[in-house]
Amino acid sequence: MNLSYQKAWKLVDVSNKAASSPLIATQVGGSKGGGTILTPYGESLITSFESINAACWEFLDEQLKKHSL
């Protein structure tokens, strides 16, 4: 994505704080440290976005066919 780790983490952090429920959660790990996981709410947002995005493309394809574009 040509995005630095710091920039990506800031975007994730801002999104997580702005959401009505956490999108990610941190985990405490073993010898390699912790990590993050996508929460069920975060997963549901991704699923919803993908569904809405697909529906938008279908609508646009239909409109283009109507207008012979």
Side-chain angles (χ1 to χ4, degrees):
M1 289 180 56
N2 198 24
L3 193 65
S4 73
Y5 178 83
Q6 182 179 16
K7 176 76 173 179
W9 183 252
K10 284 181 182 179
L11 291 170
V12 168
D13 191 46
V14 167
S15 297
N16 203 43
K17 289 176 180 173
S20 61
S21 292
L23 305 174
I24 60 164
T26 55
Q27 290 181 313
V28 177
S31 62
K32 293 187 178 185
T36 56
I37 59 167
L38 193 58
T39 64
Y41 180 68
E43 289 180 21
S44 72
L45 283 181
I46 290 172
T47 301
S48 295
F49 173 81
E50 289 172 345
S51 177
I52 292 167
N53 191 42
C56 287
W57 282 110
E58 288 174 19
F59 173 78
L60 289 173
D61 287 342
E62 290 171 17
Q63 296 304 306
L64 287 170
K65 288 175 187 173
K66 287 182 185 178
H67 297 282
S68 300
L69 299 174

